[in-house]
Amino acid sequence: MRAIGRYRTHLAASLFVALVPSILLAGTNEIPRLTFAQLVDSIRANSELTQSIQSYSGKEVEIRGFIIPAGPPDLSFFLLSRVSALGNYCCEMPVGQDETVYVFAAKEVKITYDPLRIFKIVGVFEAGMRTDAAYGPSLFRMRNATVEEALGAKIFKTEEIASPASKP
Amino acid sequence: MTIFTVAFKYLRGRLVASTLTAVSVALGVSLVVASVLLARGIKEGFIAGATDYNLVVGAKGSPTQLVLSVVFRMDLATPNIEYTIYQDLEQDPRVEIAVPVGIGDAYQGFRYVATNGAYFAPFSWRRKTFSLSSGRFFADGPPNDATYEAVLGAKAADSTGLRIGDRFYEGEEMAEYPLTVVGILQPTHSADDRAIFFSLSSYWGMNEVARKMTVKPLTAVLVRPKRMSDLPSLHRELNVAAETQAVLPSGVLLTIFNMMAVAEDVLTMILAIVGVIVLLYVFVSMYSATLERRREIATMRALGARRTTVLGIVLAESCALAAAGGVAGILGGHAVAYLAGSLLARSGLVANPFLFNVLEPAVLGSVILLGTLAGLLPAILAYRTEVAENLAPLS
């Protein structure tokens, strides 16, 4: 019985030693998520950008938003926007370059396109004014991007908005 | 004598039944291949024929009708908008280029498209380039200076037989304003190959109502913004206006693709049922063939053939039938897709039936594997054939 108990202790210790580093590593590999609010906040005079947003340049990030099919219908290029361009603009005004990301897809995009659905885009982020020969100037870009439906994505995080009554 | 030689001899021995089985496999495979090729070809055709412009502005109505009529010439033209809308867009600081388009009647089914020189201009962002195979572009004069010169798309020139210098018209009311062919375009592999282009002044000059109008009519304006991020604001402004709608052509095509995907799902289910029926046919054919030659199999066994050899012969037969049917089916599928693609091209839809799907070798492999598996039960039956039982005298 004692031998079995010792065996169990060794097994638990071995599993702990084996799994903890992988859990820690998995945590460090998480792709950072940028929001359109962060993009807007990063813009300074003369289209200059903050160091904090520029630190994401060349790194893989995730941004969620509406797809505006501004390029060819294979979606090899499209705009990612905070607001859907194909809605009736009932509650939001269309956005400008501060809330628009130029997305260059890595490979054939296989999604069921829906102008009113939020998609999750993961790609290599680029910040800073640059002019593309085909699509013109832009502040934010994502290259080698993959596209998937953002299931359960929240458009507004109401719980984060403090109600007037809760203010001191 | 190898297993394959014996299997081949057996197949030749019942030539009609073997041929019919292979033909049924070929028909099933060709149906699958043709359906996949056509669905993909139509989609590729839409993508290849899509406009390089990012916004199509037209009268209020159906966005799909606007894009299909203006870009693909596959639907009736939407109502007219005023020429001033084009002038306003041309002056808009957010717009790099605006191109006016007027969709008219047709000559022998090839639509008249009135526009200006910008339609053919080689901008750096354009995938499609226009060049003349002969002649020159039409004179692009002021509104009251109609020249009635026409430039034909490659397919329109080829089908109508019109050449440089020919004058043509269709319909009594057009007899007074015959168009003169001054140029023929190189193929662009888009709907423009099937169009007859002329100037807006000629478009307005031909039409009695338009001649009297002070503000001239247009069907649509193609818009390219300077920066893509201005697209949403342009889109909104033109959509909230009382007279116009602005459409993202790629958005409309993606909606069409979504609808096509539903049809493709239904087709996939039908094709799966066809596949099962074909496999059942192979199974029944091999099963009845095995039952018929139990005595022969027993003789082979009595002469020293092993059970595994008998199993191998039946499996080789079904494998050969599936392989022959699979190869014929892939070739037949391409032929059917080519014929159907030619028919679709007449209605203005450009499909490329010559697309080779990288999955075709996998399809052939799957057909051979499934065909061989369909022969597995008959092969086991042959494997289990008892010599003494089946070599007993018949009488």
mmCIF file of all heavy atoms in Angstrom, chain B residues 320-369:
data_model
loop_
_atom_site.group_PDB
_atom_site.id
_atom_site.type_symbol
_atom_site.label_atom_id
_atom_site.label_comp_id
_atom_site.label_asym_id
_atom_site.label_seq_id
_atom_site.Cartn_x
_atom_site.Cartn_y
_atom_site.Cartn_z
ATOM 1 N N ALA B 320 -10.594 -2.273 -60.988
ATOM 2 C CA ALA B 320 -10.415 -1.900 -62.401
ATOM 3 C C ALA B 320 -11.651 -1.184 -62.927
ATOM 4 O O ALA B 320 -11.548 -0.190 -63.654
ATOM 5 C CB ALA B 320 -10.128 -3.152 -63.225
ATOM 6 N N LEU B 321 -12.838 -1.688 -62.545
ATOM 7 C CA LEU B 321 -14.087 -1.040 -62.985
ATOM 8 C C LEU B 321 -14.165 0.388 -62.438
ATOM 9 O O LEU B 321 -14.515 1.326 -63.151
ATOM 10 C CB LEU B 321 -15.294 -1.840 -62.490
ATOM 11 C CG LEU B 321 -15.589 -3.156 -63.208
ATOM 12 C CD1 LEU B 321 -16.724 -3.897 -62.517
ATOM 13 C CD2 LEU B 321 -15.955 -2.904 -64.661
ATOM 14 N N ALA B 322 -13.839 0.531 -61.150
ATOM 15 C CA ALA B 322 -13.890 1.860 -60.518
ATOM 16 C C ALA B 322 -12.858 2.798 -61.144
ATOM 17 O O ALA B 322 -13.154 3.971 -61.387
ATOM 18 C CB ALA B 322 -13.651 1.730 -59.026
ATOM 19 N N ALA B 323 -11.659 2.266 -61.435
ATOM 20 C CA ALA B 323 -10.604 3.111 -62.022
ATOM 21 C C ALA B 323 -11.000 3.574 -63.415
ATOM 22 O O ALA B 323 -10.879 4.767 -63.750
ATOM 23 C CB ALA B 323 -9.290 2.337 -62.068
ATOM 24 N N ALA B 324 -11.512 2.629 -64.233
ATOM 25 C CA ALA B 324 -11.925 2.996 -65.599
ATOM 26 C C ALA B 324 -13.060 4.006 -65.544
ATOM 27 O O ALA B 324 -13.044 5.029 -66.259
ATOM 28 C CB ALA B 324 -12.359 1.743 -66.351
ATOM 29 N N GLY B 325 -14.051 3.733 -64.676
ATOM 30 C CA GLY B 325 -15.179 4.651 -64.537
ATOM 31 C C GLY B 325 -14.741 6.001 -63.990
ATOM 32 O O GLY B 325 -15.222 7.042 -64.433
ATOM 33 N N GLY B 326 -13.817 5.979 -63.034
ATOM 34 C CA GLY B 326 -13.335 7.226 -62.428
ATOM 35 C C GLY B 326 -12.618 8.116 -63.435
ATOM 36 O O GLY B 326 -12.904 9.312 -63.534
ATOM 37 N N VAL B 327 -11.713 7.517 -64.216
ATOM 38 C CA VAL B 327 -10.968 8.305 -65.216
ATOM 39 C C VAL B 327 -11.930 8.856 -66.273
ATOM 40 O O VAL B 327 -11.907 10.053 -66.605
ATOM 41 C CB VAL B 327 -9.856 7.451 -65.879
ATOM 42 C CG1 VAL B 327 -9.238 8.186 -67.051
ATOM 43 C CG2 VAL B 327 -8.789 7.083 -64.850
ATOM 44 N N ALA B 328 -12.820 7.973 -66.769
ATOM 45 C CA ALA B 328 -13.795 8.415 -67.780
ATOM 46 C C ALA B 328 -14.707 9.490 -67.197
ATOM 47 O O ALA B 328 -15.071 10.450 -67.890
ATOM 48 C CB ALA B 328 -14.612 7.229 -68.255
ATOM 49 N N GLY B 329 -15.059 9.337 -65.920
ATOM 50 C CA GLY B 329 -15.937 10.307 -65.272
ATOM 51 C C GLY B 329 -15.292 11.676 -65.156
ATOM 52 O O GLY B 329 -15.944 12.696 -65.396
ATOM 53 N N ILE B 330 -14.017 11.712 -64.802
ATOM 54 C CA ILE B 330 -13.322 13.007 -64.670
ATOM 55 C C ILE B 330 -13.226 13.692 -66.036
ATOM 56 O O ILE B 330 -13.512 14.884 -66.164
ATOM 57 C CB ILE B 330 -11.938 12.813 -64.015
ATOM 58 C CG1 ILE B 330 -12.128 12.535 -62.510
ATOM 59 C CG2 ILE B 330 -11.048 14.043 -64.201
ATOM 60 C CD1 ILE B 330 -10.872 12.235 -61.748
ATOM 61 N N LEU B 331 -12.873 12.895 -67.059
ATOM 62 C CA LEU B 331 -12.798 13.470 -68.410
ATOM 63 C C LEU B 331 -14.181 13.930 -68.873
ATOM 64 O O LEU B 331 -14.338 15.026 -69.416
ATOM 65 C CB LEU B 331 -12.221 12.440 -69.390
ATOM 66 C CG LEU B 331 -10.759 12.041 -69.161
ATOM 67 C CD1 LEU B 331 -10.351 10.920 -70.102
ATOM 68 C CD2 LEU B 331 -9.838 13.245 -69.363
ATOM 69 N N GLY B 332 -15.189 13.065 -68.629
ATOM 70 C CA GLY B 332 -16.566 13.406 -69.012
ATOM 71 C C GLY B 332 -17.072 14.622 -68.264
ATOM 72 O O GLY B 332 -17.756 15.465 -68.841
ATOM 73 N N GLY B 333 -16.706 14.732 -66.986
ATOM 74 C CA GLY B 333 -17.126 15.873 -66.177
ATOM 75 C C GLY B 333 -16.584 17.182 -66.737
ATOM 76 O O GLY B 333 -17.295 18.182 -66.815
ATOM 77 N N HIS B 334 -15.324 17.148 -67.180
ATOM 78 C CA HIS B 334 -14.733 18.347 -67.790
ATOM 79 C C HIS B 334 -15.447 18.692 -69.100
ATOM 80 O O HIS B 334 -15.665 19.867 -69.388
ATOM 81 C CB HIS B 334 -13.236 18.130 -68.036
ATOM 82 C CG HIS B 334 -12.402 18.380 -66.820
ATOM 83 N ND1 HIS B 334 -11.902 19.627 -66.502
ATOM 84 C CD2 HIS B 334 -12.023 17.568 -65.816
ATOM 85 C CE1 HIS B 334 -11.229 19.546 -65.372
ATOM 86 N NE2 HIS B 334 -11.288 18.310 -64.932
ATOM 87 N N ALA B 335 -15.806 17.647 -69.866
ATOM 88 C CA ALA B 335 -16.495 17.889 -71.150
ATOM 89 C C ALA B 335 -17.869 18.501 -70.898
ATOM 90 O O ALA B 335 -18.252 19.484 -71.559
ATOM 91 C CB ALA B 335 -16.625 16.571 -71.910
ATOM 92 N N VAL B 336 -18.598 17.957 -69.913
ATOM 93 C CA VAL B 336 -19.933 18.496 -69.593
ATOM 94 C C VAL B 336 -19.805 19.937 -69.092
ATOM 95 O O VAL B 336 -20.571 20.813 -69.489
ATOM 96 C CB VAL B 336 -20.630 17.606 -68.526
ATOM 97 C CG1 VAL B 336 -21.907 18.257 -68.012
ATOM 98 C CG2 VAL B 336 -20.948 16.234 -69.100
ATOM 99 N N ALA B 337 -18.810 20.174 -68.232
ATOM 100 C CA ALA B 337 -18.601 21.535 -67.696
ATOM 101 C C ALA B 337 -18.267 22.509 -68.823
ATOM 102 O O ALA B 337 -18.708 23.655 -68.807
ATOM 103 C CB ALA B 337 -17.482 21.520 -66.665
ATOM 104 N N TYR B 338 -17.499 22.037 -69.814
ATOM 105 C CA TYR B 338 -17.138 22.902 -70.950
ATOM 106 C C TYR B 338 -18.393 23.283 -71.739
ATOM 107 O O TYR B 338 -18.590 24.449 -72.075
ATOM 108 C CB TYR B 338 -16.130 22.185 -71.847
ATOM 109 C CG TYR B 338 -15.818 22.963 -73.099
ATOM 110 C CD1 TYR B 338 -15.008 24.094 -73.047
ATOM 111 C CD2 TYR B 338 -16.375 22.599 -74.318
ATOM 112 C CE1 TYR B 338 -14.752 24.837 -74.185
ATOM 113 C CE2 TYR B 338 -16.117 23.335 -75.465
ATOM 114 C CZ TYR B 338 -15.304 24.446 -75.398
ATOM 115 O OH TYR B 338 -15.068 25.190 -76.513
ATOM 116 N N LEU B 339 -19.242 22.269 -72.022
ATOM 117 C CA LEU B 339 -20.469 22.533 -72.790
ATOM 118 C C LEU B 339 -21.396 23.470 -72.019
ATOM 119 O O LEU B 339 -21.919 24.432 -72.571
ATOM 120 C CB LEU B 339 -21.192 21.217 -73.099
ATOM 121 C CG LEU B 339 -20.505 20.314 -74.118
ATOM 122 C CD1 LEU B 339 -21.208 18.970 -74.214
ATOM 123 C CD2 LEU B 339 -20.466 20.983 -75.486
ATOM 124 N N ALA B 340 -21.581 23.180 -70.727
ATOM 125 C CA ALA B 340 -22.454 24.027 -69.904
ATOM 126 C C ALA B 340 -21.870 25.437 -69.781
ATOM 127 O O ALA B 340 -22.606 26.425 -69.820
ATOM 128 C CB ALA B 340 -22.631 23.409 -68.527
ATOM 129 N N GLY B 341 -20.535 25.522 -69.669
ATOM 130 C CA GLY B 341 -19.872 26.829 -69.597
ATOM 131 C C GLY B 341 -20.099 27.642 -70.863
ATOM 132 O O GLY B 341 -20.313 28.856 -70.817
ATOM 133 N N SER B 342 -20.080 26.963 -72.015
ATOM 134 C CA SER B 342 -20.325 27.653 -73.292
ATOM 135 C C SER B 342 -21.747 28.194 -73.338
ATOM 136 O O SER B 342 -21.995 29.294 -73.823
ATOM 137 C CB SER B 342 -20.127 26.695 -74.467
ATOM 138 O OG SER B 342 -18.886 26.076 -74.364
ATOM 139 N N LEU B 343 -22.695 27.406 -72.814
ATOM 140 C CA LEU B 343 -24.095 27.860 -72.791
ATOM 141 C C LEU B 343 -24.260 29.050 -71.853
ATOM 142 O O LEU B 343 -24.959 30.006 -72.170
ATOM 143 C CB LEU B 343 -25.017 26.723 -72.346
ATOM 144 C CG LEU B 343 -25.217 25.590 -73.352
ATOM 145 C CD1 LEU B 343 -25.997 24.446 -72.728
ATOM 146 C CD2 LEU B 343 -25.951 26.102 -74.592
ATOM 147 N N LEU B 344 -23.587 28.980 -70.696
ATOM 148 C CA LEU B 344 -23.669 30.088 -69.731
ATOM 149 C C LEU B 344 -23.061 31.358 -70.309
ATOM 150 O O LEU B 344 -23.543 32.458 -70.060
ATOM 151 C CB LEU B 344 -22.941 29.724 -68.434
ATOM 152 C CG LEU B 344 -23.649 28.755 -67.498
ATOM 153 C CD1 LEU B 344 -22.726 28.344 -66.375
ATOM 154 C CD2 LEU B 344 -24.900 29.402 -66.913
ATOM 155 N N ALA B 345 -21.991 31.194 -71.095
ATOM 156 C CA ALA B 345 -21.310 32.358 -71.686
ATOM 157 C C ALA B 345 -22.252 33.129 -72.596
ATOM 158 O O ALA B 345 -22.164 34.347 -72.715
ATOM 159 C CB ALA B 345 -20.082 31.907 -72.447
ATOM 160 N N ARG B 346 -23.204 32.414 -73.228
ATOM 161 C CA ARG B 346 -24.169 33.088 -74.108
ATOM 162 C C ARG B 346 -25.063 34.026 -73.325
ATOM 163 O O ARG B 346 -25.545 35.018 -73.836
ATOM 164 C CB ARG B 346 -25.039 32.045 -74.819
ATOM 165 C CG ARG B 346 -24.336 31.422 -75.990
ATOM 166 C CD ARG B 346 -25.285 30.506 -76.717
ATOM 167 N NE ARG B 346 -24.546 29.456 -77.406
ATOM 168 C CZ ARG B 346 -25.086 28.368 -77.888
ATOM 169 N NH1 ARG B 346 -26.372 28.162 -77.788
ATOM 170 N NH2 ARG B 346 -24.353 27.474 -78.505
ATOM 171 N N SER B 347 -25.340 33.663 -72.070
ATOM 172 C CA SER B 347 -26.188 34.533 -71.252
ATOM 173 C C SER B 347 -25.374 35.597 -70.516
ATOM 174 O O SER B 347 -25.894 36.308 -69.666
ATOM 175 C CB SER B 347 -26.990 33.688 -70.258
ATOM 176 O OG SER B 347 -26.104 33.028 -69.382
ATOM 177 N N GLY B 348 -24.102 35.676 -70.832
ATOM 178 C CA GLY B 348 -23.270 36.749 -70.283
ATOM 179 C C GLY B 348 -22.446 36.347 -69.084
ATOM 180 O O GLY B 348 -21.656 37.139 -68.587
ATOM 181 N N LEU B 349 -22.636 35.127 -68.587
ATOM 182 C CA LEU B 349 -21.868 34.710 -67.417
ATOM 183 C C LEU B 349 -20.608 34.003 -67.877
ATOM 184 O O LEU B 349 -20.661 33.037 -68.629
ATOM 185 C CB LEU B 349 -22.703 33.768 -66.552
ATOM 186 C CG LEU B 349 -22.117 33.423 -65.197
ATOM 187 C CD1 LEU B 349 -21.902 34.678 -64.373
ATOM 188 C CD2 LEU B 349 -23.035 32.489 -64.455
ATOM 189 N N VAL B 350 -19.477 34.507 -67.427
ATOM 190 C CA VAL B 350 -18.200 33.929 -67.846
ATOM 191 C C VAL B 350 -17.807 32.861 -66.834
ATOM 192 O O VAL B 350 -17.623 33.137 -65.663
ATOM 193 C CB VAL B 350 -17.107 35.017 -67.927
ATOM 194 C CG1 VAL B 350 -15.798 34.427 -68.412
ATOM 195 C CG2 VAL B 350 -17.544 36.123 -68.866
ATOM 196 N N ALA B 351 -17.750 31.614 -67.282
ATOM 197 C CA ALA B 351 -17.306 30.531 -66.398
ATOM 198 C C ALA B 351 -16.096 29.870 -67.026
ATOM 199 O O ALA B 351 -16.008 29.771 -68.246
ATOM 200 C CB ALA B 351 -18.424 29.518 -66.216
ATOM 201 N N ASN B 352 -15.161 29.461 -66.203
ATOM 202 C CA ASN B 352 -13.961 28.819 -66.735
ATOM 203 C C ASN B 352 -14.017 27.316 -66.452
ATOM 204 O O ASN B 352 -13.711 26.879 -65.355
ATOM 205 C CB ASN B 352 -12.716 29.443 -66.088
ATOM 206 C CG ASN B 352 -11.439 28.859 -66.639
ATOM 207 O OD1 ASN B 352 -11.471 28.004 -67.534
ATOM 208 N ND2 ASN B 352 -10.326 29.302 -66.123
ATOM 209 N N PRO B 353 -14.436 26.511 -67.459
ATOM 210 C CA PRO B 353 -14.593 25.080 -67.223
ATOM 211 C C PRO B 353 -13.278 24.311 -67.276
ATOM 212 O O PRO B 353 -13.240 23.120 -67.026
ATOM 213 C CB PRO B 353 -15.510 24.644 -68.360
ATOM 214 C CG PRO B 353 -15.237 25.602 -69.455
ATOM 215 C CD PRO B 353 -14.791 26.888 -68.832
ATOM 216 N N PHE B 354 -12.196 25.004 -67.620
ATOM 217 C CA PHE B 354 -10.914 24.313 -67.746
ATOM 218 C C PHE B 354 -10.138 24.262 -66.430
ATOM 219 O O PHE B 354 -9.024 23.780 -66.376
ATOM 220 C CB PHE B 354 -10.039 24.974 -68.820
ATOM 221 C CG PHE B 354 -10.641 24.837 -70.177
ATOM 222 C CD1 PHE B 354 -11.177 25.928 -70.811
ATOM 223 C CD2 PHE B 354 -10.694 23.603 -70.811
ATOM 224 C CE1 PHE B 354 -11.754 25.799 -72.063
ATOM 225 C CE2 PHE B 354 -11.272 23.469 -72.051
ATOM 226 C CZ PHE B 354 -11.804 24.572 -72.685
ATOM 227 N N LEU B 355 -10.764 24.805 -65.394
ATOM 228 C CA LEU B 355 -10.089 24.792 -64.097
ATOM 229 C C LEU B 355 -9.824 23.353 -63.673
ATOM 230 O O LEU B 355 -10.718 22.516 -63.698
ATOM 231 C CB LEU B 355 -10.985 25.453 -63.038
ATOM 232 C CG LEU B 355 -11.168 26.951 -63.146
ATOM 233 C CD1 LEU B 355 -12.265 27.401 -62.200
ATOM 234 C CD2 LEU B 355 -9.883 27.668 -62.813
ATOM 235 N N PHE B 356 -8.597 23.055 -63.317
ATOM 236 C CA PHE B 356 -8.283 21.718 -62.828
ATOM 237 C C PHE B 356 -8.252 21.787 -61.314
ATOM 238 O O PHE B 356 -7.489 22.566 -60.739
ATOM 239 C CB PHE B 356 -6.935 21.256 -63.392
ATOM 240 C CG PHE B 356 -6.549 19.887 -62.902
ATOM 241 C CD1 PHE B 356 -7.123 18.757 -63.468
ATOM 242 C CD2 PHE B 356 -5.636 19.725 -61.879
ATOM 243 C CE1 PHE B 356 -6.784 17.490 -63.014
ATOM 244 C CE2 PHE B 356 -5.291 18.468 -61.416
ATOM 245 C CZ PHE B 356 -5.871 17.337 -61.996
ATOM 246 N N ASN B 357 -9.084 21.003 -60.716
ATOM 247 C CA ASN B 357 -9.150 21.011 -59.264
ATOM 248 C C ASN B 357 -8.026 20.139 -58.717
ATOM 249 O O ASN B 357 -7.871 18.988 -59.120
ATOM 250 C CB ASN B 357 -10.510 20.469 -58.825
ATOM 251 C CG ASN B 357 -10.810 20.794 -57.388
ATOM 252 O OD1 ASN B 357 -9.903 20.810 -56.561
ATOM 253 N ND2 ASN B 357 -12.055 21.068 -57.090
ATOM 254 N N VAL B 358 -7.268 20.695 -57.788
ATOM 255 C CA VAL B 358 -6.151 19.933 -57.203
ATOM 256 C C VAL B 358 -6.647 18.695 -56.470
ATOM 257 O O VAL B 358 -5.880 17.778 -56.200
ATOM 258 C CB VAL B 358 -5.304 20.801 -56.244
ATOM 259 C CG1 VAL B 358 -4.489 21.804 -56.992
ATOM 260 C CG2 VAL B 358 -6.177 21.481 -55.203
ATOM 261 N N LEU B 359 -7.947 18.684 -56.168
ATOM 262 C CA LEU B 359 -8.501 17.539 -55.446
ATOM 263 C C LEU B 359 -8.908 16.399 -56.388
ATOM 264 O O LEU B 359 -9.321 15.341 -55.932
ATOM 265 C CB LEU B 359 -9.719 17.981 -54.626
ATOM 266 C CG LEU B 359 -9.416 18.890 -53.440
ATOM 267 C CD1 LEU B 359 -10.700 19.346 -52.780
ATOM 268 C CD2 LEU B 359 -8.551 18.171 -52.412
ATOM 269 N N GLU B 360 -8.796 16.629 -57.695
ATOM 270 C CA GLU B 360 -9.242 15.600 -58.642
ATOM 271 C C GLU B 360 -8.496 14.280 -58.480
ATOM 272 O O GLU B 360 -9.128 13.222 -58.530
ATOM 273 C CB GLU B 360 -9.188 16.120 -60.070
ATOM 274 C CG GLU B 360 -10.430 16.944 -60.384
ATOM 275 C CD GLU B 360 -10.450 17.542 -61.765
ATOM 276 O OE1 GLU B 360 -9.908 16.917 -62.693
ATOM 277 O OE2 GLU B 360 -10.989 18.641 -61.921
ATOM 278 N N PRO B 361 -7.161 14.278 -58.295
ATOM 279 C CA PRO B 361 -6.492 12.995 -58.040
ATOM 280 C C PRO B 361 -7.042 12.320 -56.781
ATOM 281 O O PRO B 361 -7.188 11.096 -56.735
ATOM 282 C CB PRO B 361 -5.020 13.386 -57.852
ATOM 283 C CG PRO B 361 -4.879 14.677 -58.571
ATOM 284 C CD PRO B 361 -6.183 15.367 -58.406
ATOM 285 N N ALA B 362 -7.371 13.135 -55.774
ATOM 286 C CA ALA B 362 -7.952 12.580 -54.545
ATOM 287 C C ALA B 362 -9.334 11.994 -54.823
ATOM 288 O O ALA B 362 -9.705 10.952 -54.271
ATOM 289 C CB ALA B 362 -8.046 13.669 -53.478
ATOM 290 N N VAL B 363 -10.099 12.672 -55.700
ATOM 291 C CA VAL B 363 -11.429 12.166 -56.070
ATOM 292 C C VAL B 363 -11.278 10.807 -56.756
ATOM 293 O O VAL B 363 -11.980 9.845 -56.429
ATOM 294 C CB VAL B 363 -12.155 13.167 -57.016
ATOM 295 C CG1 VAL B 363 -13.413 12.549 -57.628
ATOM 296 C CG2 VAL B 363 -12.514 14.431 -56.253
ATOM 297 N N LEU B 364 -10.312 10.740 -57.696
ATOM 298 C CA LEU B 364 -10.080 9.476 -58.419
ATOM 299 C C LEU B 364 -9.668 8.370 -57.437
ATOM 300 O O LEU B 364 -10.192 7.249 -57.500
ATOM 301 C CB LEU B 364 -9.000 9.678 -59.494
ATOM 302 C CG LEU B 364 -8.685 8.459 -60.353
ATOM 303 C CD1 LEU B 364 -9.915 8.001 -61.137
ATOM 304 C CD2 LEU B 364 -7.532 8.748 -61.320
ATOM 305 N N GLY B 365 -8.774 8.720 -56.528
ATOM 306 C CA GLY B 365 -8.325 7.757 -55.513
ATOM 307 C C GLY B 365 -9.486 7.261 -54.664
ATOM 308 O O GLY B 365 -9.611 6.059 -54.399
ATOM 309 N N SER B 366 -10.356 8.191 -54.270
ATOM 310 C CA SER B 366 -11.515 7.827 -53.445
ATOM 311 C C SER B 366 -12.460 6.912 -54.218
ATOM 312 O O SER B 366 -13.004 5.955 -53.657
ATOM 313 C CB SER B 366 -12.280 9.087 -53.020
ATOM 314 O OG SER B 366 -11.430 9.959 -52.374
ATOM 315 N N VAL B 367 -12.666 7.231 -55.504
ATOM 316 C CA VAL B 367 -13.560 6.403 -56.333
ATOM 317 C C VAL B 367 -13.010 4.984 -56.419
ATOM 318 O O VAL B 367 -13.750 4.000 -56.257
ATOM 319 C CB VAL B 367 -13.715 7.027 -57.750
ATOM 320 C CG1 VAL B 367 -14.398 6.051 -58.708
ATOM 321 C CG2 VAL B 367 -14.504 8.307 -57.658
ATOM 322 N N ILE B 368 -11.690 4.875 -56.652
ATOM 323 C CA ILE B 368 -11.072 3.547 -56.768
ATOM 324 C C ILE B 368 -11.188 2.797 -55.432
ATOM 325 O O ILE B 368 -11.552 1.630 -55.392
ATOM 326 C CB ILE B 368 -9.595 3.676 -57.210
ATOM 327 C CG1 ILE B 368 -9.541 4.205 -58.646
ATOM 328 C CG2 ILE B 368 -8.876 2.326 -57.128
ATOM 329 C CD1 ILE B 368 -8.158 4.586 -59.131
ATOM 330 N N LEU B 369 -10.929 3.503 -54.349
ATOM 331 C CA LEU B 369 -10.991 2.874 -53.026
ATOM 332 C C LEU B 369 -12.405 2.400 -52.700
ATOM 333 O O LEU B 369 -12.622 1.247 -52.300
ATOM 334 C CB LEU B 369 -10.499 3.864 -51.962
ATOM 335 C CG LEU B 369 -10.483 3.330 -50.533
ATOM 336 C CD1 LEU B 369 -9.391 2.273 -50.373
ATOM 337 C CD2 LEU B 369 -10.272 4.451 -49.532
#
